[in-house]
Amino acid sequence: MTSTLAARTRRLSPAGWGIAAAVTLMALAMVVPAVSGWNVHVNHFPPLHADWDPRVGGGTVPALVLAVLLGRRAVDLADRMPWRPLLAGVFVAGLAWMLALAFVDGPHGVSQILGTQYEYLRTARGTTDLHATLQEFVSRIRQDTQHYWPVHIAGHPAGALVFFVVLVRLGLGSGFAAGMVVTVLAATTALAVMVTVRALGAERMARRAAPFLALGTAAIWQSVSADAMFAAVAAWGIACLALAATRRSIGWSLLSGLLLGYTMMLSYGLPLLGLLAVAVLVVARSWFPLVIVGAVALAVVVVFAIFGFNYLDALPAIHTRYWDAIGGRRPFSYWVWADLGALAFGAGPLAFAGVAQLAAGARGYLGDTETRVVVWVSGAGVAMVLAADLSMMSKAEVERIWLPFVPWLLLSCALLPERWRRRGLVGQLGLALVVQHLLSTGW
């Protein structure tokens, strides 16, 4: 039996090793705290911030129907549809999948989370003087102040709150309306990645990746988390950068700078997108947009500073808040690897298969124009995840925090053989159904 197991192990492809690594990390991250009694300071189903809550609901049947239809047809359709109808189809399919999963909990699946005491909407509704709020923003980050911010407002730059204040003033301040706005924006993230890859000369890779960008377990968190909005803004900033570089366009450069600058005002972890931006410019073989994009992005940061939010003052304040609160109690010795287990839930194990395939064949892939794009861009996604993980500022909750990194990892699925992609998509859809129906994720 030992020799048989060894022979099977030797026959594992790189993708098989990636799946095995993902499943092992998922299992260990669940089992170790349960068996050892190790308090890793997260809700009751580590490595996810979730509770055991088996249920069915209004979205169950639509989600099952979508999983069957899309699992059978999505790979073929992505290969042969004209480009613009494909983009529309990816958007509609992704939006339908997100909403079907969310509606397992009924309308509350979209509306409840953003309205909790930890999130943005309550504060956004009470903000009558935005300028004054920005001026006092940094002073209210630390918990040793009298009127410190709720955890999610304190944990992000002021741009996140500004976004929801704008929604409130547009009449979209209810939990359901704001949740729908976030979900619709999230459904465009796949399109931004596809536009980026096509602009860099790899349309075939964009098509092969499309089903995995739109469908999978990430959808569980995309319709309930502000981080999904962050991911969309970031992805479109990168897409505009790719268009600026390949077309030598000032207009696309300006738009990219605005979006990437605002991305910095949404999350303290998203300056890591600089790694992805460099990869895009390397693949495009053009540094034309760099000065314009950098100057405009910096201008966005300066404008926030003029109105009262100084990013450089906020960084030490959020560092103190994080370590004084739950972040300081979560053991890095667990989360440094369990975060990757949570990522395997959030992105799906097939993302690990794609990354393993990329790593194993990187040298050969660099010799082909289209696969070279995937190596650089998805490789930058891996680098962003590793940097965030080792920073010790991403302990737990990465199933939502790392949403801006997930689509760039999933791009690597385009390198998988066809049989892996067909079966893998079914597996991704199935895992999403299982997680959504067994766990209450809290996001």
Side-chain angles (χ1 to χ4, degrees):
M1 180 176 293
T2 302
S3 61
T4 301
L5 179 60
R8 289 179 179 176
T9 300
R10 286 195 297 270
R11 287 198 299 269
L12 273 180
S13 66
W17 280 109
I19 292 287
V23 172
T24 300
L25 284 167
M26 293 162 75
L28 287 175
M30 289 187 289
V31 169
V32 168
V35 171
S36 67
W38 196 0
N39 185 357
V40 296
H41 295 281
V42 75
N43 274 15
H44 305 103
F45 200 88
L48 301 179
H49 190 77
D51 295 300
W52 181 256
D53 184 22
R55 66 207 184 280
V56 295
T60 298
V61 171
L64 287 169
V65 171
L66 283 170
V68 171
L69 292 177
L70 295 171
R72 294 179 61 184
R73 301 295 305 280
V75 171
D76 289 330
L77 289 173
D79 283 340
R80 66 171 185 259
M81 287 180 69
W83 180 252
R84 289 185 180 180
L86 174 60
L87 291 178
V90 166
F91 172 76
V92 171
L95 181 60
W97 180 237
M98 291 178 204
L99 291 176
L101 292 173
F103 269 75
V104 169
D105 296 315
H108 286 297
V110 174
S111 66
Q112 184 175 10
I113 298 302
L114 289 174
T116 66
Q117 60 181 322
Y118 306 108
E119 292 275 356
Y120 303 91
L121 280 179
R122 294 189 184 185
T123 301
R125 293 174 191 142
T127 299
T128 56
D129 187 338
L130 184 56
H131 187 198
T133 298
L134 291 174
Q135 288 182 315
E136 65 182 14
F137 196 96
V138 173
S139 67
R140 294 175 61 180
I141 291 176
R142 292 185 176 91
Q143 282 186 300
D144 56 5
T145 60
Q146 185 175 3
H147 301 291
Y148 59 84
W149 294 119
V151 61
H152 279 265
I153 294 171
H156 295 86
L161 177 60
V162 169
F163 175 84
F164 288 98
V165 170
V166 171
L167 287 189
V168 169
R169 295 185 179 180
L170 291 175
L172 298 170
S174 70
F176 187 80
M180 285 299 297
V181 170
V182 168
T183 305
V184 170
L185 289 175
T188 72
T189 304
L191 311 188
V193 177
M194 293 171 66
V195 167
T196 300
V197 176
R198 186 175 188 253
L200 295 173
E203 180 178 327
R204 182 169 60 94
M205 295 293 104
R207 289 176 174 276
R208 288 166 65 104
F212 309 100
L213 296 171
L215 310 167
T217 52
I220 294 171
W221 294 276
Q222 284 178 300
S223 61
V224 293
S225 170
D227 293 80
M229 178 269 287
F230 305 166
V233 176
W236 282 111
I238 294 296
C240 292
L241 179 66
L243 291 168
T246 54
R247 300 181 183 185
R248 299 182 65 84
S249 166
I250 293 176
W252 287 118
S253 299
L254 293 170
L255 185 54
S256 177
L258 286 171
L259 290 171
L260 293 177
Y262 196 72
T263 298
M264 288 188 63
M265 295 295 100
L266 294 173
S267 171
Y268 292 107
L270 291 186
L272 288 173
L273 284 164
L275 297 171
L276 180 58
V278 169
V280 167
L281 295 177
V282 168
V283 173
R285 294 187 172 94
S286 171
W287 300 94
F288 170 81
L290 183 61
V291 173
I292 299 173
V293 171
V296 175
L298 180 60
V300 174
V301 177
V302 170
V303 167
F304 268 86
I306 290 171
F307 280 91
F309 174 75
N310 189 309
Y311 187 86
L312 295 179
D313 289 342
L315 283 175
I318 185 55
H319 190 272
T320 300
R321 170 77 179 254
Y322 181 81
W323 285 101
D324 286 349
I326 192 70
R329 297 193 291 275
R330 287 172 172 163
F332 184 64
S333 54
Y334 170 79
W335 287 110
V336 68
W337 57 269
D339 275 347
L340 301 179
L343 177 65
F345 278 101
L350 201 68
F352 283 64
V355 169
Q357 187 80 15
L358 181 156
R363 180 174 297 180
Y365 291 137
L366 287 171
D368 175 80
T369 301
E370 294 209 21
T371 54
R372 176 176 177 269
V373 173
V374 178
V375 170
W376 275 97
V377 173
S378 201
V382 174
M384 291 188 292
V385 165
L386 293 178
D389 191 32
L390 295 175
S391 73
M392 296 196 293
M393 295 292 286
S394 291
K395 293 183 290 184
E397 306 174 36
V398 299
E399 60 271 19
R400 65 166 182 86
I401 296 171
W402 288 355
L403 281 174
F405 307 147
V406 164
W408 309 103
L409 296 177
L410 287 169
L411 175 62
S412 65
C413 295
L415 299 174
L416 294 171
E418 183 176 343
R419 65 184 180 88
W420 270 95
R421 288 187 290 117
R422 291 185 183 278
R423 296 175 183 176
L425 179 60
V426 173
Q428 295 282 93
L429 292 164
L431 178 62
L433 289 171
V434 169
V435 171
Q436 179 64 11
H437 285 85
L438 294 184
L439 301 177
S440 177
T441 62
W443 302 117

Short mmCIF file of all heavy atoms in Angstrom, two decimals, residues 127-175:
data_model
loop_
_atom_site.label_atom_id
_atom_site.label_comp_id
_atom_site.label_asym_id
_atom_site.label_seq_id
_atom_site.Cartn_x
_atom_site.Cartn_y
_atom_site.Cartn_z
N THR A 127 -23.42 61.46 9.62
CA THR A 127 -22.41 62.45 9.22
C THR A 127 -23.09 63.59 8.49
O THR A 127 -23.52 63.46 7.34
CB THR A 127 -21.36 61.80 8.31
OG1 THR A 127 -20.71 60.74 9.03
CG2 THR A 127 -20.32 62.82 7.87
N THR A 128 -23.20 64.73 9.15
CA THR A 128 -23.83 65.91 8.53
C THR A 128 -22.80 66.91 8.03
O THR A 128 -23.10 67.70 7.14
CB THR A 128 -24.75 66.60 9.55
OG1 THR A 128 -23.99 66.93 10.73
CG2 THR A 128 -25.91 65.68 9.95
N ASP A 129 -21.62 66.87 8.61
CA ASP A 129 -20.55 67.78 8.19
C ASP A 129 -19.34 66.93 7.83
O ASP A 129 -18.53 66.57 8.69
CB ASP A 129 -20.22 68.76 9.32
CG ASP A 129 -19.24 69.85 8.89
OD1 ASP A 129 -18.51 69.63 7.90
OD2 ASP A 129 -19.18 70.90 9.56
N LEU A 130 -19.20 66.60 6.55
CA LEU A 130 -18.14 65.70 6.12
C LEU A 130 -16.76 66.32 6.34
O LEU A 130 -15.82 65.63 6.72
CB LEU A 130 -18.33 65.34 4.65
CG LEU A 130 -17.35 64.31 4.07
CD1 LEU A 130 -17.35 63.02 4.87
CD2 LEU A 130 -17.68 64.03 2.61
N HIS A 131 -16.63 67.63 6.12
CA HIS A 131 -15.34 68.28 6.31
C HIS A 131 -14.89 68.16 7.77
O HIS A 131 -13.74 67.81 8.05
CB HIS A 131 -15.43 69.75 5.90
CG HIS A 131 -14.12 70.46 5.92
ND1 HIS A 131 -14.00 71.84 5.95
CD2 HIS A 131 -12.84 69.99 5.91
CE1 HIS A 131 -12.73 72.17 5.96
NE2 HIS A 131 -12.00 71.07 5.93
N ALA A 132 -15.80 68.41 8.69
CA ALA A 132 -15.46 68.29 10.11
C ALA A 132 -15.12 66.85 10.47
O ALA A 132 -14.20 66.59 11.27
CB ALA A 132 -16.63 68.78 10.96
N THR A 133 -15.82 65.90 9.87
CA THR A 133 -15.54 64.49 10.13
C THR A 133 -14.14 64.12 9.67
O THR A 133 -13.40 63.42 10.38
CB THR A 133 -16.57 63.61 9.40
OG1 THR A 133 -17.88 63.90 9.92
CG2 THR A 133 -16.27 62.13 9.60
N LEU A 134 -13.73 64.61 8.51
CA LEU A 134 -12.39 64.32 8.02
C LEU A 134 -11.32 64.96 8.90
O LEU A 134 -10.26 64.37 9.13
CB LEU A 134 -12.24 64.81 6.58
CG LEU A 134 -13.03 64.04 5.51
CD1 LEU A 134 -12.90 64.73 4.17
CD2 LEU A 134 -12.57 62.60 5.43
N GLN A 135 -11.61 66.15 9.42
CA GLN A 135 -10.63 66.84 10.26
C GLN A 135 -10.38 66.11 11.59
O GLN A 135 -9.28 66.15 12.13
CB GLN A 135 -11.08 68.28 10.52
CG GLN A 135 -10.96 69.18 9.29
CD GLN A 135 -11.37 70.60 9.59
OE1 GLN A 135 -12.39 70.85 10.25
NE2 GLN A 135 -10.58 71.55 9.11
N GLU A 136 -11.40 65.45 12.10
CA GLU A 136 -11.24 64.74 13.37
C GLU A 136 -11.02 63.24 13.18
O GLU A 136 -10.92 62.50 14.16
CB GLU A 136 -12.48 64.95 14.25
CG GLU A 136 -13.76 64.34 13.68
CD GLU A 136 -14.98 64.61 14.55
OE1 GLU A 136 -14.89 65.49 15.45
OE2 GLU A 136 -16.01 63.95 14.34
N PHE A 137 -10.94 62.80 11.95
CA PHE A 137 -10.91 61.36 11.67
C PHE A 137 -9.75 60.67 12.35
O PHE A 137 -9.93 59.68 13.08
CB PHE A 137 -10.83 61.12 10.15
CG PHE A 137 -11.17 59.72 9.75
CD1 PHE A 137 -12.44 59.39 9.34
CD2 PHE A 137 -10.20 58.72 9.78
CE1 PHE A 137 -12.76 58.09 8.97
CE2 PHE A 137 -10.50 57.42 9.42
CZ PHE A 137 -11.79 57.10 9.02
N VAL A 138 -8.53 61.17 12.16
CA VAL A 138 -7.35 60.50 12.71
C VAL A 138 -7.38 60.49 14.23
O VAL A 138 -7.01 59.50 14.87
CB VAL A 138 -6.06 61.16 12.18
CG1 VAL A 138 -4.83 60.58 12.87
CG2 VAL A 138 -5.95 60.99 10.67
N SER A 139 -7.84 61.56 14.82
CA SER A 139 -7.85 61.67 16.29
C SER A 139 -8.80 60.67 16.94
O SER A 139 -8.71 60.43 18.14
CB SER A 139 -8.23 63.09 16.70
OG SER A 139 -9.58 63.38 16.36
N ARG A 140 -9.71 60.08 16.15
CA ARG A 140 -10.68 59.13 16.72
C ARG A 140 -10.38 57.68 16.34
O ARG A 140 -11.22 56.81 16.54
CB ARG A 140 -12.09 59.52 16.27
CG ARG A 140 -12.55 60.87 16.83
CD ARG A 140 -13.89 61.28 16.27
NE ARG A 140 -14.95 60.33 16.60
CZ ARG A 140 -16.23 60.47 16.22
NH1 ARG A 140 -16.58 61.53 15.50
NH2 ARG A 140 -17.13 59.57 16.55
N ILE A 141 -9.21 57.42 15.81
CA ILE A 141 -8.87 56.04 15.44
C ILE A 141 -8.52 55.22 16.66
O ILE A 141 -9.04 54.10 16.85
CB ILE A 141 -7.71 56.02 14.43
CG1 ILE A 141 -8.17 56.60 13.09
CG2 ILE A 141 -7.19 54.60 14.23
CD1 ILE A 141 -7.07 56.71 12.05
N ARG A 142 -7.66 55.73 17.52
CA ARG A 142 -7.22 54.96 18.69
C ARG A 142 -8.38 54.76 19.67
O ARG A 142 -9.26 55.59 19.79
CB ARG A 142 -6.06 55.65 19.39
CG ARG A 142 -4.77 55.69 18.58
CD ARG A 142 -3.65 56.29 19.42
NE ARG A 142 -2.37 56.26 18.73
CZ ARG A 142 -1.91 57.24 17.95
NH1 ARG A 142 -2.64 58.35 17.79
NH2 ARG A 142 -0.74 57.13 17.36
N GLN A 143 -8.33 53.65 20.41
CA GLN A 143 -9.39 53.35 21.37
C GLN A 143 -9.24 54.10 22.69
O GLN A 143 -10.12 54.01 23.55
CB GLN A 143 -9.44 51.84 21.64
CG GLN A 143 -10.11 51.06 20.53
CD GLN A 143 -10.27 49.60 20.90
OE1 GLN A 143 -9.29 48.91 21.15
NE2 GLN A 143 -11.50 49.13 20.93
N ASP A 144 -8.13 54.82 22.88
CA ASP A 144 -7.97 55.57 24.12
C ASP A 144 -8.59 56.96 24.04
O ASP A 144 -8.40 57.79 24.92
CB ASP A 144 -6.49 55.66 24.51
CG ASP A 144 -5.63 56.28 23.40
OD1 ASP A 144 -6.19 56.72 22.39
OD2 ASP A 144 -4.39 56.31 23.58
N THR A 145 -9.34 57.23 22.94
CA THR A 145 -10.06 58.49 22.82
C THR A 145 -11.51 58.30 23.26
O THR A 145 -12.02 57.17 23.25
CB THR A 145 -10.03 59.00 21.37
OG1 THR A 145 -10.63 58.03 20.51
CG2 THR A 145 -8.60 59.23 20.92
N GLN A 146 -12.16 59.38 23.59
CA GLN A 146 -13.50 59.27 24.16
C GLN A 146 -14.53 58.80 23.13
O GLN A 146 -15.42 58.00 23.45
CB GLN A 146 -13.93 60.63 24.74
CG GLN A 146 -15.28 60.58 25.45
CD GLN A 146 -15.62 61.90 26.12
OE1 GLN A 146 -14.88 62.87 26.00
NE2 GLN A 146 -16.73 61.94 26.84
N HIS A 147 -14.45 59.28 21.93
CA HIS A 147 -15.43 58.94 20.90
C HIS A 147 -14.74 58.24 19.73
O HIS A 147 -14.78 58.71 18.59
CB HIS A 147 -16.15 60.20 20.42
CG HIS A 147 -16.87 60.94 21.49
ND1 HIS A 147 -17.99 60.45 22.13
CD2 HIS A 147 -16.60 62.15 22.09
CE1 HIS A 147 -18.40 61.31 23.04
NE2 HIS A 147 -17.58 62.35 23.04
N TYR A 148 -14.12 57.10 20.03
CA TYR A 148 -13.38 56.41 18.97
C TYR A 148 -14.35 55.78 17.97
O TYR A 148 -15.49 55.44 18.27
CB TYR A 148 -12.42 55.37 19.54
CG TYR A 148 -13.06 54.28 20.38
CD1 TYR A 148 -13.62 53.15 19.79
CD2 TYR A 148 -13.06 54.35 21.77
CE1 TYR A 148 -14.17 52.14 20.54
CE2 TYR A 148 -13.61 53.36 22.54
CZ TYR A 148 -14.18 52.25 21.92
OH TYR A 148 -14.73 51.26 22.68
N TRP A 149 -13.85 55.61 16.75
CA TRP A 149 -14.66 55.10 15.66
C TRP A 149 -15.00 53.61 15.84
O TRP A 149 -14.22 52.87 16.45
CB TRP A 149 -13.93 55.24 14.32
CG TRP A 149 -13.67 56.63 13.84
CD1 TRP A 149 -12.46 57.19 13.61
CD2 TRP A 149 -14.65 57.63 13.49
NE1 TRP A 149 -12.60 58.47 13.14
CE2 TRP A 149 -13.94 58.76 13.06
CE3 TRP A 149 -16.04 57.66 13.49
CZ2 TRP A 149 -14.57 59.92 12.63
CZ3 TRP A 149 -16.68 58.81 13.08
CH2 TRP A 149 -15.96 59.93 12.66
N PRO A 150 -16.13 53.16 15.28
CA PRO A 150 -16.37 51.72 15.18
C PRO A 150 -15.24 51.04 14.42
O PRO A 150 -14.51 51.67 13.65
CB PRO A 150 -17.70 51.63 14.41
CG PRO A 150 -18.36 52.95 14.62
CD PRO A 150 -17.24 53.96 14.74
N VAL A 151 -15.13 49.74 14.58
CA VAL A 151 -13.92 49.02 14.15
C VAL A 151 -13.64 49.15 12.66
O VAL A 151 -12.48 49.36 12.26
CB VAL A 151 -14.02 47.54 14.58
CG1 VAL A 151 -15.20 46.83 13.94
CG2 VAL A 151 -12.71 46.81 14.25
N HIS A 152 -14.65 49.06 11.81
CA HIS A 152 -14.36 49.10 10.38
C HIS A 152 -14.03 50.51 9.89
O HIS A 152 -13.22 50.67 8.96
CB HIS A 152 -15.53 48.52 9.58
CG HIS A 152 -15.51 47.02 9.54
ND1 HIS A 152 -14.97 46.31 8.52
CD2 HIS A 152 -15.95 46.11 10.44
CE1 HIS A 152 -15.08 45.01 8.78
NE2 HIS A 152 -15.66 44.88 9.94
N ILE A 153 -14.62 51.50 10.49
CA ILE A 153 -14.29 52.88 10.12
C ILE A 153 -12.88 53.21 10.58
O ILE A 153 -12.07 53.77 9.82
CB ILE A 153 -15.32 53.85 10.69
CG1 ILE A 153 -16.69 53.60 10.04
CG2 ILE A 153 -14.89 55.30 10.48
CD1 ILE A 153 -17.83 54.34 10.67
N ALA A 154 -12.56 52.84 11.80
CA ALA A 154 -11.21 53.09 12.31
C ALA A 154 -10.17 52.30 11.52
O ALA A 154 -9.05 52.77 11.33
CB ALA A 154 -11.13 52.71 13.78
N GLY A 155 -10.54 51.12 11.05
CA GLY A 155 -9.59 50.23 10.40
C GLY A 155 -9.30 50.54 8.95
O GLY A 155 -8.53 49.82 8.31
N HIS A 156 -9.93 51.58 8.40
CA HIS A 156 -9.72 51.93 7.00
C HIS A 156 -9.51 53.43 6.86
O HIS A 156 -9.97 54.21 7.70
CB HIS A 156 -10.94 51.52 6.16
CG HIS A 156 -11.14 50.03 6.12
ND1 HIS A 156 -11.84 49.37 7.09
CD2 HIS A 156 -10.72 49.09 5.23
CE1 HIS A 156 -11.85 48.07 6.80
NE2 HIS A 156 -11.18 47.88 5.68
N PRO A 157 -8.82 53.85 5.81
CA PRO A 157 -8.70 55.29 5.56
C PRO A 157 -10.08 55.92 5.36
O PRO A 157 -11.08 55.23 5.17
CB PRO A 157 -7.86 55.34 4.28
CG PRO A 157 -7.15 54.04 4.22
CD PRO A 157 -8.08 53.04 4.84
N ALA A 158 -10.12 57.23 5.33
CA ALA A 158 -11.38 57.96 5.33
C ALA A 158 -12.19 57.77 4.05
O ALA A 158 -13.40 57.99 4.04
CB ALA A 158 -11.12 59.45 5.56
N GLY A 159 -11.54 57.37 2.96
CA GLY A 159 -12.26 57.20 1.71
C GLY A 159 -13.37 56.18 1.78
O GLY A 159 -14.38 56.30 1.06
N ALA A 160 -13.22 55.16 2.61
CA ALA A 160 -14.27 54.15 2.75
C ALA A 160 -15.54 54.77 3.33
O ALA A 160 -16.65 54.55 2.82
CB ALA A 160 -13.78 53.01 3.63
N LEU A 161 -15.40 55.57 4.40
CA LEU A 161 -16.56 56.23 4.98
C LEU A 161 -17.15 57.23 4.00
O LEU A 161 -18.39 57.34 3.86
CB LEU A 161 -16.17 56.93 6.28
CG LEU A 161 -17.29 57.75 6.96
CD1 LEU A 161 -18.47 56.87 7.32
CD2 LEU A 161 -16.74 58.46 8.19
N VAL A 162 -16.30 57.98 3.29
CA VAL A 162 -16.78 58.96 2.32
C VAL A 162 -17.68 58.30 1.28
O VAL A 162 -18.73 58.85 0.90
CB VAL A 162 -15.60 59.69 1.65
CG1 VAL A 162 -16.08 60.52 0.46
CG2 VAL A 162 -14.88 60.58 2.66
N PHE A 163 -17.30 57.14 0.81
CA PHE A 163 -18.11 56.42 -0.18
C PHE A 163 -19.53 56.20 0.33
O PHE A 163 -20.51 56.45 -0.38
CB PHE A 163 -17.46 55.08 -0.52
CG PHE A 163 -18.28 54.21 -1.43
CD1 PHE A 163 -18.23 54.38 -2.81
CD2 PHE A 163 -19.11 53.22 -0.92
CE1 PHE A 163 -18.98 53.59 -3.66
CE2 PHE A 163 -19.87 52.42 -1.75
CZ PHE A 163 -19.80 52.60 -3.13
N PHE A 164 -19.67 55.77 1.58
CA PHE A 164 -21.00 55.47 2.11
C PHE A 164 -21.75 56.74 2.49
O PHE A 164 -22.99 56.77 2.42
CB PHE A 164 -20.88 54.50 3.29
CG PHE A 164 -20.52 53.11 2.86
CD1 PHE A 164 -19.22 52.66 2.91
CD2 PHE A 164 -21.50 52.26 2.36
CE1 PHE A 164 -18.89 51.39 2.48
CE2 PHE A 164 -21.19 50.98 1.92
CZ PHE A 164 -19.88 50.54 1.98
N VAL A 165 -21.02 57.80 2.85
CA VAL A 165 -21.70 59.09 3.06
C VAL A 165 -22.34 59.55 1.75
O VAL A 165 -23.48 60.04 1.73
CB VAL A 165 -20.71 60.14 3.59
CG1 VAL A 165 -21.32 61.53 3.57
CG2 VAL A 165 -20.26 59.78 5.01
N VAL A 166 -21.61 59.39 0.65
CA VAL A 166 -22.15 59.77 -0.66
C VAL A 166 -23.39 58.94 -0.98
O VAL A 166 -24.40 59.47 -1.47
CB VAL A 166 -21.07 59.60 -1.75
CG1 VAL A 166 -21.68 59.78 -3.15
CG2 VAL A 166 -19.96 60.61 -1.55
N LEU A 167 -23.35 57.64 -0.69
CA LEU A 167 -24.52 56.80 -0.94
C LEU A 167 -25.72 57.29 -0.14
O LEU A 167 -26.85 57.36 -0.66
CB LEU A 167 -24.22 55.34 -0.57
CG LEU A 167 -23.32 54.54 -1.50
CD1 LEU A 167 -23.33 53.06 -1.10
CD2 LEU A 167 -23.73 54.68 -2.95
N VAL A 168 -25.48 57.62 1.11
CA VAL A 168 -26.58 58.13 1.95
C VAL A 168 -27.18 59.39 1.34
O VAL A 168 -28.41 59.54 1.26
CB VAL A 168 -26.08 58.39 3.39
CG1 VAL A 168 -27.13 59.16 4.19
CG2 VAL A 168 -25.75 57.07 4.08
N ARG A 169 -26.33 60.31 0.91
CA ARG A 169 -26.82 61.57 0.37
C ARG A 169 -27.48 61.40 -1.00
O ARG A 169 -28.25 62.26 -1.43
CB ARG A 169 -25.68 62.58 0.30
CG ARG A 169 -25.19 62.93 1.70
CD ARG A 169 -24.15 64.01 1.74
NE ARG A 169 -23.74 64.29 3.11
CZ ARG A 169 -22.85 65.19 3.46
NH1 ARG A 169 -22.25 65.92 2.53
NH2 ARG A 169 -22.55 65.39 4.74
N LEU A 170 -27.21 60.28 -1.66
CA LEU A 170 -27.89 59.97 -2.93
C LEU A 170 -29.20 59.21 -2.70
O LEU A 170 -29.87 58.84 -3.66
CB LEU A 170 -26.97 59.14 -3.83
CG LEU A 170 -25.75 59.85 -4.40
CD1 LEU A 170 -24.87 58.87 -5.16
CD2 LEU A 170 -26.18 61.00 -5.32
N GLY A 171 -29.55 59.00 -1.44
CA GLY A 171 -30.76 58.25 -1.13
C GLY A 171 -30.58 56.75 -1.16
O GLY A 171 -31.57 56.01 -1.21
N LEU A 172 -29.33 56.28 -1.11
CA LEU A 172 -29.03 54.85 -1.17
C LEU A 172 -28.44 54.39 0.16
O LEU A 172 -27.57 53.51 0.20
CB LEU A 172 -28.06 54.57 -2.31
CG LEU A 172 -28.57 54.92 -3.72
CD1 LEU A 172 -27.44 54.83 -4.74
CD2 LEU A 172 -29.72 54.01 -4.11
N GLY A 173 -28.92 54.95 1.25
CA GLY A 173 -28.33 54.69 2.55
C GLY A 173 -28.97 53.58 3.34
O GLY A 173 -28.52 53.28 4.45
N SER A 174 -30.00 52.91 2.80
CA SER A 174 -30.54 51.75 3.51
C SER A 174 -29.58 50.59 3.34
O SER A 174 -28.76 50.55 2.42
CB SER A 174 -31.90 51.37 2.94
OG SER A 174 -31.77 50.83 1.63
N GLY A 175 -29.68 49.61 4.24
CA GLY A 175 -28.79 48.47 4.15
C GLY A 175 -28.94 47.73 2.83
O GLY A 175 -27.94 47.31 2.23
#
